[in-house]
Amino acid sequence: MLRQYLLRAPRNIGQAFATQAKRAEQQVDGEEVSWENARPYLELPGPGTKGGVDWNLMPGGKLFGKPFVEVHRYFYETYGIIVRIPSFLKKPDFVLLYDPDSFAKVLRTEGPWPVRFGLESLNYYRRNRYPQIYKDNGGLLVEDSEPWGKMRSIVNPVMMQPKVVSLYVSRIDEVTRDFVEVTRRSLDENSETPADYGDYIQRWALESIGDIALDTRLGVLEKRAGNKGDTLAKLVENFFRLSFKLDGQPHIWKYIKTPAFYQMMKTLDGMTEITLEYVEAAVKRIQDQTISKPVEQQSVLEKLLKADKQTAVIMAMDMLIVGIDTTSSQTKALLFLLAKHPEKQEKLREELRTILPTKDTLLTADKMKHLPYLRACMKESNRVIPVVVGTSRQTNQDLVLNGYQIPKGTHCAMATQLLMKDDRYYGRSAEFIPERWLKDESKAKAEGCPHAKQTHPFVYLPFGFGTRTCIGRRFAELETAIFITRLVREFDISWHYEDLKVRSTLVDTLDGSMKFRLKELPN
């Protein structure tokens, strides 16, 4: 069967599979369907595919502006496991997939340079407003094909190596210990955090990624008038909101420059100005060093500058853009879930005491390797409150998906978020059960839920897949792990209000008054 073959296949299958994939067979209603016998692409079900428009999706419709997961649920319940969204307002056709076998088939044949639907407004800005910086390299956020592959080949040895990431354990720990003191000073008479504690976590995320991307502390943990880092965090939040509007929804900005388009250009101007200032200062500081560090002690920025200065500058800017909302959203979600589940929090605290016998014990890379329950909590949080709705790819060759012909070059969106909350794939899917991820399967059994490894391996893809896996994954996981380690070791964290709601931009994030109650624990 093709499914078993694909799941055993190596990740970088590349072009070698091209001829075979076109003739591939797939089980549909018990019958094998080849390309020649598959139904034509234009017969795919979906809104507007047979004339007319689904007004639920348009301005004023019940789904316009709703979180992506609600839109996907509507498509899935209305049209089935494969849906075609016709071209509209200069956006290409999109095929929405709600079947992990189809996910596997698209991703296993993605080729050496996977193409996904990009941030068009950001691409427009970089190409038209700052060609002197981006020239023929728009960065990993907007590039595809060979330019993307060239840049990725430069940054992968730096960003994806565990040894490089390990260098930052003590540095991120220092940032987080400082953040703990900021948090302690912020508590009110009920030992509760301020309502805008989400902004505090955003500043922590910026301070952390700034130390990684720029090799320096930015000094943004506390809100101060005129603080450029605080301004940058707000601009980035605005960028994600506007990009959701311009790139994620039907919009006319490619025909008429709307107020939202001009807001985006102004936002990106502000972001570029601040990040360029930070990056240029960091580059000068490194270039002015009189003593060269040993290679094993060199920072991310130092290593990238040795490889290619333009790539180093663009990558530093992109890390500042992407490393704030994504990491802070992931961290807020886990903090909230642990506050809501004190029994899980206490299990985690027991584990943390093995590496932090006292609160002032310093973290090391070796200590961070021995926290299986923390890793399980992080995985389960990424399943219950994921940061992204799924992933996308442009098909690298002709495929047959669910009995339909899907031509090469078709944009496919894989809504993994919807499936991660489906009991068919994760038993008791609405519940926070970290035990389902532990190596010891008896722990999941004791909780009355199936082990995570029993589900389809292409349902859980929080950081993407293959060569286009999130470049900052290891750093994002490190930051969240250290944050949770310090907060849970310092405080008993509880929640006494209504559940926080999820707000969608390009990422999903918890929104609302974040008044956690923090009870100081003995040393």
Side-chain angles (χ1 to χ4, degrees), residues 110-170:
E110 64 184 4
W113 299 324
V115 176
R116 67 183 180 195
F117 197 74
L119 302 175
E120 294 177 286
S121 57
L122 178 62
N123 191 19
Y124 174 92
Y125 176 84
R126 290 186 167 181
R127 302 299 190 197
N128 292 278
R129 305 272 282 227
Y130 271 92
Q132 69 274 27
I133 296 176
Y134 297 99
K135 300 176 185 176
D136 57 348
N137 184 353
L140 295 180
L141 293 178
V142 301
E143 288 290 5
D144 279 309
S145 302
E146 188 171 359
W148 173 87
K150 180 180 178 181
M151 184 171 185
R152 186 81 186 218
S153 68
I154 295 172
V155 300
N156 262 7
V158 177
M159 298 291 294
M160 300 295 284
Q161 290 298 320
K163 287 184 179 180
V164 176
V165 179
S166 295
L167 292 174
Y168 288 87
V169 171
S170 60

Short mmCIF file of all heavy atoms in Angstrom, two decimals, residues 110-170:
data_model
loop_
_atom_site.label_atom_id
_atom_site.label_comp_id
_atom_site.label_asym_id
_atom_site.label_seq_id
_atom_site.Cartn_x
_atom_site.Cartn_y
_atom_site.Cartn_z
N GLU A 110 7.67 16.64 -1.63
CA GLU A 110 7.81 18.09 -1.73
C GLU A 110 9.06 18.53 -2.49
O GLU A 110 9.15 19.69 -2.91
CB GLU A 110 7.80 18.73 -0.34
CG GLU A 110 8.96 18.31 0.53
CD GLU A 110 8.89 18.89 1.93
OE1 GLU A 110 7.90 19.54 2.27
OE2 GLU A 110 9.84 18.68 2.69
N GLY A 111 10.03 17.64 -2.65
CA GLY A 111 11.23 18.00 -3.39
C GLY A 111 12.25 18.71 -2.51
O GLY A 111 12.01 19.02 -1.35
N PRO A 112 13.42 19.02 -3.08
CA PRO A 112 14.50 19.63 -2.29
C PRO A 112 14.24 21.08 -1.90
O PRO A 112 14.83 21.57 -0.94
CB PRO A 112 15.72 19.50 -3.21
CG PRO A 112 15.14 19.49 -4.60
CD PRO A 112 13.84 18.77 -4.48
N TRP A 113 13.38 21.79 -2.65
CA TRP A 113 13.09 23.19 -2.35
C TRP A 113 11.58 23.36 -2.18
O TRP A 113 10.89 23.83 -3.08
CB TRP A 113 13.58 24.11 -3.48
CG TRP A 113 15.06 24.05 -3.71
CD1 TRP A 113 16.04 23.88 -2.77
CD2 TRP A 113 15.73 24.15 -4.97
NE1 TRP A 113 17.28 23.87 -3.37
CE2 TRP A 113 17.12 24.04 -4.72
CE3 TRP A 113 15.30 24.33 -6.28
CZ2 TRP A 113 18.08 24.11 -5.73
CZ3 TRP A 113 16.25 24.40 -7.29
CH2 TRP A 113 17.62 24.28 -7.01
N PRO A 114 11.04 22.97 -1.06
CA PRO A 114 9.58 23.05 -0.85
C PRO A 114 9.07 24.48 -1.00
O PRO A 114 9.71 25.43 -0.53
CB PRO A 114 9.40 22.55 0.59
CG PRO A 114 10.64 21.78 0.89
CD PRO A 114 11.73 22.45 0.12
N VAL A 115 7.92 24.62 -1.63
CA VAL A 115 7.30 25.93 -1.85
C VAL A 115 6.01 25.98 -1.04
O VAL A 115 5.19 25.07 -1.10
CB VAL A 115 6.98 26.16 -3.34
CG1 VAL A 115 6.25 27.49 -3.53
CG2 VAL A 115 8.27 26.15 -4.16
N ARG A 116 5.86 27.04 -0.26
CA ARG A 116 4.61 27.22 0.47
C ARG A 116 4.09 28.63 0.19
O ARG A 116 4.83 29.50 -0.28
CB ARG A 116 4.82 27.03 1.97
CG ARG A 116 5.69 28.07 2.62
CD ARG A 116 5.92 27.78 4.09
NE ARG A 116 6.76 28.79 4.71
CZ ARG A 116 7.36 28.65 5.88
NH1 ARG A 116 7.23 27.53 6.55
NH2 ARG A 116 8.10 29.62 6.38
N PHE A 117 2.81 28.83 0.47
CA PHE A 117 2.20 30.13 0.25
C PHE A 117 2.80 31.13 1.23
O PHE A 117 2.80 30.91 2.43
CB PHE A 117 0.69 30.03 0.45
CG PHE A 117 -0.07 31.18 -0.15
CD1 PHE A 117 -0.23 31.28 -1.52
CD2 PHE A 117 -0.62 32.16 0.65
CE1 PHE A 117 -0.92 32.34 -2.08
CE2 PHE A 117 -1.31 33.22 0.10
CZ PHE A 117 -1.47 33.31 -1.27
N GLY A 118 3.36 32.22 0.71
CA GLY A 118 4.13 33.13 1.54
C GLY A 118 3.38 34.36 2.02
O GLY A 118 2.17 34.50 1.84
N LEU A 119 4.13 35.24 2.65
CA LEU A 119 3.58 36.50 3.16
C LEU A 119 3.70 37.54 2.04
O LEU A 119 4.73 38.18 1.87
CB LEU A 119 4.36 36.94 4.40
CG LEU A 119 4.37 35.94 5.57
CD1 LEU A 119 5.28 36.42 6.68
CD2 LEU A 119 2.96 35.71 6.09
N GLU A 120 2.63 37.68 1.27
CA GLU A 120 2.69 38.48 0.06
C GLU A 120 2.91 39.97 0.35
O GLU A 120 3.63 40.65 -0.38
CB GLU A 120 1.41 38.28 -0.75
CG GLU A 120 1.26 36.87 -1.29
CD GLU A 120 -0.05 36.69 -2.02
OE1 GLU A 120 -1.10 36.61 -1.35
OE2 GLU A 120 -0.03 36.64 -3.27
N SER A 121 2.28 40.48 1.40
CA SER A 121 2.44 41.90 1.70
C SER A 121 3.87 42.20 2.16
O SER A 121 4.44 43.24 1.81
CB SER A 121 1.43 42.35 2.76
OG SER A 121 1.55 41.59 3.95
N LEU A 122 4.47 41.29 2.92
CA LEU A 122 5.86 41.46 3.33
C LEU A 122 6.79 41.37 2.13
O LEU A 122 7.74 42.15 2.00
CB LEU A 122 6.23 40.40 4.37
CG LEU A 122 7.68 40.43 4.86
CD1 LEU A 122 8.01 41.74 5.57
CD2 LEU A 122 7.96 39.24 5.79
N ASN A 123 6.50 40.44 1.24
CA ASN A 123 7.30 40.29 0.03
C ASN A 123 7.23 41.57 -0.81
O ASN A 123 8.24 42.07 -1.31
CB ASN A 123 6.79 39.10 -0.78
CG ASN A 123 7.74 38.72 -1.91
OD1 ASN A 123 8.90 39.09 -1.91
ND2 ASN A 123 7.23 38.00 -2.89
N TYR A 124 6.02 42.13 -0.97
CA TYR A 124 5.84 43.38 -1.71
C TYR A 124 6.68 44.49 -1.08
O TYR A 124 7.38 45.24 -1.78
CB TYR A 124 4.36 43.78 -1.71
CG TYR A 124 4.11 45.13 -2.33
CD1 TYR A 124 3.81 45.24 -3.69
CD2 TYR A 124 4.17 46.30 -1.58
CE1 TYR A 124 3.59 46.49 -4.27
CE2 TYR A 124 3.95 47.55 -2.15
CZ TYR A 124 3.66 47.64 -3.50
OH TYR A 124 3.45 48.87 -4.06
N TYR A 125 6.61 44.60 0.24
CA TYR A 125 7.34 45.65 0.94
C TYR A 125 8.85 45.53 0.69
O TYR A 125 9.52 46.50 0.34
CB TYR A 125 7.05 45.57 2.43
CG TYR A 125 7.83 46.56 3.26
CD1 TYR A 125 7.38 47.86 3.43
CD2 TYR A 125 9.03 46.19 3.87
CE1 TYR A 125 8.10 48.78 4.19
CE2 TYR A 125 9.75 47.09 4.63
CZ TYR A 125 9.29 48.39 4.77
OH TYR A 125 10.01 49.29 5.51
N ARG A 126 9.36 44.32 0.86
CA ARG A 126 10.81 44.14 0.74
C ARG A 126 11.30 44.37 -0.68
O ARG A 126 12.38 44.93 -0.89
CB ARG A 126 11.19 42.75 1.24
CG ARG A 126 11.03 42.62 2.75
CD ARG A 126 11.54 41.30 3.29
NE ARG A 126 11.64 41.37 4.75
CZ ARG A 126 12.07 40.40 5.52
NH1 ARG A 126 12.45 39.24 4.97
NH2 ARG A 126 12.15 40.56 6.83
N ARG A 127 10.52 43.96 -1.65
CA ARG A 127 10.93 44.11 -3.04
C ARG A 127 10.82 45.56 -3.52
O ARG A 127 11.63 46.01 -4.34
CB ARG A 127 10.07 43.24 -3.96
CG ARG A 127 10.09 41.76 -3.65
CD ARG A 127 11.47 41.16 -3.77
NE ARG A 127 11.41 39.71 -3.69
CZ ARG A 127 12.43 38.92 -3.44
NH1 ARG A 127 13.63 39.44 -3.23
NH2 ARG A 127 12.30 37.61 -3.40
N ASN A 128 9.83 46.28 -3.00
CA ASN A 128 9.54 47.61 -3.53
C ASN A 128 10.03 48.75 -2.65
O ASN A 128 10.32 49.83 -3.17
CB ASN A 128 8.03 47.76 -3.74
CG ASN A 128 7.52 46.87 -4.85
OD1 ASN A 128 7.61 47.21 -6.03
ND2 ASN A 128 6.98 45.72 -4.49
N ARG A 129 10.11 48.53 -1.34
CA ARG A 129 10.49 49.62 -0.45
C ARG A 129 11.95 49.54 -0.02
O ARG A 129 12.55 50.56 0.31
CB ARG A 129 9.59 49.61 0.81
CG ARG A 129 8.10 49.67 0.53
CD ARG A 129 7.61 51.08 0.41
NE ARG A 129 7.44 51.72 1.70
CZ ARG A 129 6.36 52.42 2.05
NH1 ARG A 129 5.35 52.53 1.21
NH2 ARG A 129 6.28 53.01 3.21
N TYR A 130 12.52 48.33 0.03
CA TYR A 130 13.90 48.19 0.50
C TYR A 130 14.72 47.26 -0.39
O TYR A 130 15.38 46.34 0.10
CB TYR A 130 13.91 47.68 1.95
CG TYR A 130 13.87 48.80 2.96
CD1 TYR A 130 12.65 49.24 3.46
CD2 TYR A 130 15.03 49.43 3.39
CE1 TYR A 130 12.58 50.27 4.37
CE2 TYR A 130 14.98 50.47 4.31
CZ TYR A 130 13.75 50.88 4.80
OH TYR A 130 13.70 51.90 5.70
N PRO A 131 14.71 47.49 -1.71
CA PRO A 131 15.52 46.62 -2.58
C PRO A 131 17.01 46.74 -2.29
O PRO A 131 17.77 45.82 -2.58
CB PRO A 131 15.17 47.12 -3.99
CG PRO A 131 14.72 48.53 -3.80
CD PRO A 131 14.02 48.54 -2.47
N GLN A 132 17.43 47.88 -1.71
CA GLN A 132 18.85 48.05 -1.42
C GLN A 132 19.33 47.09 -0.33
O GLN A 132 20.53 46.80 -0.23
CB GLN A 132 19.16 49.50 -1.00
CG GLN A 132 18.60 49.93 0.35
CD GLN A 132 17.18 50.43 0.28
OE1 GLN A 132 16.42 50.04 -0.60
NE2 GLN A 132 16.80 51.29 1.22
N ILE A 133 18.39 46.59 0.49
CA ILE A 133 18.74 45.62 1.53
C ILE A 133 18.57 44.20 1.02
O ILE A 133 19.45 43.36 1.15
CB ILE A 133 17.88 45.82 2.79
CG1 ILE A 133 18.15 47.19 3.41
CG2 ILE A 133 18.16 44.71 3.82
CD1 ILE A 133 17.26 47.50 4.59
N TYR A 134 17.41 43.97 0.40
CA TYR A 134 17.05 42.60 0.08
C TYR A 134 17.51 42.15 -1.30
O TYR A 134 17.64 40.96 -1.55
CB TYR A 134 15.53 42.42 0.25
CG TYR A 134 15.12 42.65 1.68
CD1 TYR A 134 14.58 43.86 2.09
CD2 TYR A 134 15.33 41.66 2.63
CE1 TYR A 134 14.25 44.08 3.42
CE2 TYR A 134 15.00 41.87 3.96
CZ TYR A 134 14.46 43.08 4.35
OH TYR A 134 14.13 43.30 5.66
N LYS A 135 17.74 43.09 -2.21
CA LYS A 135 18.30 42.75 -3.52
C LYS A 135 17.61 41.52 -4.09
O LYS A 135 16.42 41.51 -4.34
CB LYS A 135 19.81 42.54 -3.40
CG LYS A 135 20.55 43.77 -2.88
CD LYS A 135 22.03 43.49 -2.69
CE LYS A 135 22.76 44.67 -2.07
NZ LYS A 135 24.18 44.37 -1.80
N ASP A 136 18.38 40.44 -4.28
CA ASP A 136 17.80 39.21 -4.81
C ASP A 136 17.55 38.19 -3.71
O ASP A 136 17.36 37.00 -3.97
CB ASP A 136 18.72 38.59 -5.86
CG ASP A 136 20.12 38.31 -5.33
OD1 ASP A 136 20.44 38.81 -4.24
OD2 ASP A 136 20.89 37.60 -6.01
N ASN A 137 17.54 38.64 -2.46
CA ASN A 137 17.34 37.74 -1.32
C ASN A 137 16.35 38.36 -0.36
O ASN A 137 16.70 39.24 0.42
CB ASN A 137 18.69 37.47 -0.63
CG ASN A 137 18.57 36.46 0.50
OD1 ASN A 137 17.47 36.05 0.88
ND2 ASN A 137 19.70 36.07 1.04
N GLY A 138 15.11 37.91 -0.43
CA GLY A 138 14.07 38.46 0.43
C GLY A 138 14.01 37.84 1.80
O GLY A 138 13.24 38.26 2.65
N GLY A 139 14.82 36.80 2.04
CA GLY A 139 14.82 36.14 3.34
C GLY A 139 13.95 34.90 3.34
O GLY A 139 13.11 34.68 2.46
N LEU A 140 14.12 34.06 4.34
CA LEU A 140 13.40 32.79 4.42
C LEU A 140 11.90 32.98 4.55
O LEU A 140 11.12 32.08 4.22
CB LEU A 140 13.92 31.96 5.60
CG LEU A 140 15.36 31.47 5.50
CD1 LEU A 140 15.73 30.67 6.75
CD2 LEU A 140 15.59 30.63 4.25
N LEU A 141 11.46 34.13 5.04
CA LEU A 141 10.03 34.36 5.23
C LEU A 141 9.29 34.52 3.91
O LEU A 141 8.08 34.26 3.85
CB LEU A 141 9.79 35.61 6.08
CG LEU A 141 10.23 35.53 7.54
CD1 LEU A 141 9.97 36.85 8.24
CD2 LEU A 141 9.53 34.39 8.26
N VAL A 142 9.99 34.93 2.84
CA VAL A 142 9.29 35.21 1.59
C VAL A 142 9.85 34.46 0.39
O VAL A 142 9.19 34.36 -0.65
CB VAL A 142 9.28 36.73 1.27
CG1 VAL A 142 8.59 37.50 2.38
CG2 VAL A 142 10.68 37.27 1.05
N GLU A 143 11.07 33.93 0.50
CA GLU A 143 11.68 33.28 -0.66
C GLU A 143 11.18 31.86 -0.85
O GLU A 143 10.72 31.20 0.08
CB GLU A 143 13.20 33.25 -0.52
CG GLU A 143 13.88 34.60 -0.69
CD GLU A 143 13.83 35.12 -2.12
OE1 GLU A 143 13.20 34.50 -2.99
OE2 GLU A 143 14.45 36.18 -2.35
N ASP A 144 11.31 31.36 -2.07
CA ASP A 144 11.00 29.98 -2.41
C ASP A 144 12.05 29.48 -3.39
O ASP A 144 12.92 30.22 -3.84
CB ASP A 144 9.61 29.86 -3.04
CG ASP A 144 8.50 29.86 -2.00
OD1 ASP A 144 8.60 29.07 -1.05
OD2 ASP A 144 7.54 30.64 -2.14
N SER A 145 11.96 28.20 -3.72
CA SER A 145 12.78 27.58 -4.75
C SER A 145 14.28 27.75 -4.46
O SER A 145 14.69 27.73 -3.31
CB SER A 145 12.41 28.13 -6.13
OG SER A 145 11.04 27.90 -6.39
N GLU A 146 15.08 27.99 -5.49
CA GLU A 146 16.53 27.98 -5.32
C GLU A 146 17.04 29.09 -4.39
O GLU A 146 17.93 28.85 -3.58
CB GLU A 146 17.23 28.06 -6.67
CG GLU A 146 18.74 27.86 -6.59
CD GLU A 146 19.40 27.72 -7.93
OE1 GLU A 146 18.68 27.77 -8.97
OE2 GLU A 146 20.63 27.55 -7.98
N PRO A 147 16.51 30.35 -4.47
CA PRO A 147 16.99 31.37 -3.52
C PRO A 147 16.76 30.97 -2.07
O PRO A 147 17.61 31.22 -1.21
CB PRO A 147 16.16 32.61 -3.91
CG PRO A 147 15.82 32.39 -5.35
CD PRO A 147 15.60 30.92 -5.49
N TRP A 148 15.60 30.36 -1.81
CA TRP A 148 15.34 29.87 -0.45
C TRP A 148 16.34 28.78 -0.07
O TRP A 148 16.91 28.79 1.02
CB TRP A 148 13.91 29.31 -0.35
CG TRP A 148 13.64 28.64 0.95
CD1 TRP A 148 13.21 29.22 2.11
CD2 TRP A 148 13.84 27.25 1.26
NE1 TRP A 148 13.11 28.28 3.11
CE2 TRP A 148 13.49 27.06 2.62
CE3 TRP A 148 14.27 26.14 0.52
CZ2 TRP A 148 13.56 25.82 3.24
CZ3 TRP A 148 14.35 24.90 1.15
CH2 TRP A 148 13.99 24.75 2.49
N GLY A 149 16.56 27.84 -0.99
CA GLY A 149 17.48 26.75 -0.72
C GLY A 149 18.89 27.22 -0.44
O GLY A 149 19.58 26.69 0.44
N LYS A 150 19.33 28.25 -1.18
CA LYS A 150 20.68 28.77 -1.00
C LYS A 150 20.83 29.39 0.39
O LYS A 150 21.82 29.12 1.09
CB LYS A 150 20.98 29.82 -2.06
CG LYS A 150 22.37 30.43 -1.96
CD LYS A 150 22.61 31.47 -3.05
CE LYS A 150 23.99 32.09 -2.92
NZ LYS A 150 24.22 33.14 -3.96
N MET A 151 19.84 30.18 0.81
CA MET A 151 19.93 30.82 2.12
C MET A 151 19.81 29.78 3.23
O MET A 151 20.53 29.83 4.24
CB MET A 151 18.85 31.89 2.28
CG MET A 151 18.97 32.66 3.58
SD MET A 151 17.88 34.09 3.65
CE MET A 151 18.39 34.82 5.21
N ARG A 152 18.91 28.83 3.04
CA ARG A 152 18.72 27.81 4.07
C ARG A 152 19.99 26.98 4.26
O ARG A 152 20.32 26.58 5.39
CB ARG A 152 17.55 26.90 3.68
CG ARG A 152 17.16 25.88 4.75
CD ARG A 152 16.28 26.48 5.83
NE ARG A 152 16.05 25.52 6.88
CZ ARG A 152 14.89 25.38 7.53
NH1 ARG A 152 13.87 26.15 7.23
NH2 ARG A 152 14.76 24.49 8.49
N SER A 153 20.73 26.73 3.18
CA SER A 153 21.96 25.95 3.29
C SER A 153 23.02 26.70 4.10
O SER A 153 23.90 26.08 4.71
CB SER A 153 22.51 25.63 1.90
OG SER A 153 22.96 26.80 1.23
N ILE A 154 22.93 28.03 4.12
CA ILE A 154 23.88 28.83 4.91
C ILE A 154 23.50 28.84 6.38
O ILE A 154 24.36 28.70 7.26
CB ILE A 154 23.93 30.28 4.37
CG1 ILE A 154 24.49 30.31 2.94
CG2 ILE A 154 24.77 31.17 5.29
CD1 ILE A 154 24.40 31.68 2.28
N VAL A 155 22.20 28.98 6.68
CA VAL A 155 21.78 29.16 8.07
C VAL A 155 21.55 27.84 8.81
O VAL A 155 21.63 27.80 10.04
CB VAL A 155 20.52 30.04 8.16
CG1 VAL A 155 20.78 31.41 7.56
CG2 VAL A 155 19.32 29.39 7.49
N ASN A 156 21.27 26.75 8.09
CA ASN A 156 21.00 25.47 8.76
C ASN A 156 22.13 25.03 9.70
O ASN A 156 21.86 24.63 10.84
CB ASN A 156 20.73 24.37 7.73
CG ASN A 156 19.25 24.14 7.52
OD1 ASN A 156 18.41 24.87 8.03
ND2 ASN A 156 18.93 23.13 6.75
N PRO A 157 23.40 25.07 9.25
CA PRO A 157 24.47 24.61 10.15
C PRO A 157 24.59 25.44 11.42
O PRO A 157 25.20 24.99 12.40
CB PRO A 157 25.72 24.75 9.28
CG PRO A 157 25.23 24.72 7.87
CD PRO A 157 23.91 25.41 7.91
N VAL A 158 24.04 26.63 11.41
CA VAL A 158 24.10 27.50 12.59
C VAL A 158 22.85 27.34 13.44
O VAL A 158 22.91 27.11 14.65
CB VAL A 158 24.28 28.97 12.18
CG1 VAL A 158 24.28 29.88 13.40
CG2 VAL A 158 25.56 29.15 11.38
N MET A 159 21.68 27.46 12.82
CA MET A 159 20.43 27.52 13.56
C MET A 159 19.90 26.16 14.02
O MET A 159 19.15 26.09 14.99
CB MET A 159 19.36 28.19 12.69
CG MET A 159 19.65 29.61 12.30
SD MET A 159 19.57 30.75 13.71
CE MET A 159 17.83 30.67 14.11
N MET A 160 20.29 25.09 13.33
CA MET A 160 19.69 23.79 13.62
C MET A 160 20.62 22.84 14.38
O MET A 160 20.26 21.69 14.61
CB MET A 160 19.25 23.12 12.30
CG MET A 160 18.23 23.91 11.51
SD MET A 160 16.64 24.08 12.35
CE MET A 160 15.95 22.43 12.10
N GLN A 161 21.80 23.30 14.77
CA GLN A 161 22.74 22.43 15.46
C GLN A 161 22.53 22.49 16.98
O GLN A 161 22.61 23.55 17.58
CB GLN A 161 24.18 22.85 15.13
CG GLN A 161 24.60 22.56 13.70
CD GLN A 161 24.57 21.08 13.39
OE1 GLN A 161 24.94 20.24 14.21
NE2 GLN A 161 24.12 20.74 12.18
N PRO A 162 22.29 21.35 17.62
CA PRO A 162 22.10 21.34 19.08
C PRO A 162 23.25 21.97 19.86
O PRO A 162 23.04 22.62 20.88
CB PRO A 162 21.96 19.84 19.39
CG PRO A 162 21.45 19.23 18.12
CD PRO A 162 22.10 20.01 17.02
N LYS A 163 24.49 21.78 19.36
CA LYS A 163 25.63 22.35 20.08
C LYS A 163 25.57 23.88 20.10
O LYS A 163 25.96 24.52 21.09
CB LYS A 163 26.94 21.89 19.44
CG LYS A 163 27.27 20.43 19.70
CD LYS A 163 28.62 20.06 19.12
CE LYS A 163 28.97 18.60 19.41
NZ LYS A 163 30.30 18.22 18.84
N VAL A 164 25.11 24.47 19.00
CA VAL A 164 24.99 25.93 18.95
C VAL A 164 23.89 26.39 19.91
O VAL A 164 24.06 27.36 20.67
CB VAL A 164 24.68 26.41 17.51
CG1 VAL A 164 24.44 27.92 17.49
CG2 VAL A 164 25.82 26.03 16.57
N VAL A 165 22.76 25.71 19.89
CA VAL A 165 21.65 26.07 20.77
C VAL A 165 22.06 25.95 22.24
O VAL A 165 21.70 26.80 23.07
CB VAL A 165 20.42 25.17 20.48
CG1 VAL A 165 19.27 25.52 21.41
CG2 VAL A 165 19.98 25.32 19.03
N SER A 166 22.87 24.93 22.56
CA SER A 166 23.29 24.72 23.95
C SER A 166 24.08 25.90 24.51
O SER A 166 24.07 26.13 25.73
CB SER A 166 24.14 23.44 24.04
OG SER A 166 23.38 22.30 23.72
N LEU A 167 24.75 26.64 23.63
CA LEU A 167 25.51 27.81 24.09
C LEU A 167 24.63 28.85 24.76
O LEU A 167 25.11 29.67 25.54
CB LEU A 167 26.23 28.45 22.90
CG LEU A 167 27.37 27.67 22.24
CD1 LEU A 167 27.84 28.41 21.00
CD2 LEU A 167 28.52 27.47 23.21
N TYR A 168 23.33 28.82 24.45
CA TYR A 168 22.44 29.87 24.92
C TYR A 168 21.64 29.50 26.17
O TYR A 168 20.83 30.30 26.63
CB TYR A 168 21.48 30.28 23.79
CG TYR A 168 22.18 31.06 22.70
CD1 TYR A 168 22.80 30.40 21.65
CD2 TYR A 168 22.27 32.45 22.76
CE1 TYR A 168 23.49 31.11 20.67
CE2 TYR A 168 22.94 33.16 21.79
CZ TYR A 168 23.55 32.49 20.74
OH TYR A 168 24.24 33.19 19.78
N VAL A 169 21.86 28.32 26.73
CA VAL A 169 21.10 27.94 27.91
C VAL A 169 21.33 28.91 29.06
O VAL A 169 20.38 29.44 29.65
CB VAL A 169 21.45 26.50 28.34
CG1 VAL A 169 20.83 26.18 29.71
CG2 VAL A 169 20.98 25.49 27.31
N SER A 170 22.58 29.17 29.38
CA SER A 170 22.87 30.06 30.51
C SER A 170 22.42 31.49 30.21
O SER A 170 21.96 32.21 31.12
CB SER A 170 24.36 30.04 30.85
OG SER A 170 25.14 30.46 29.74
#
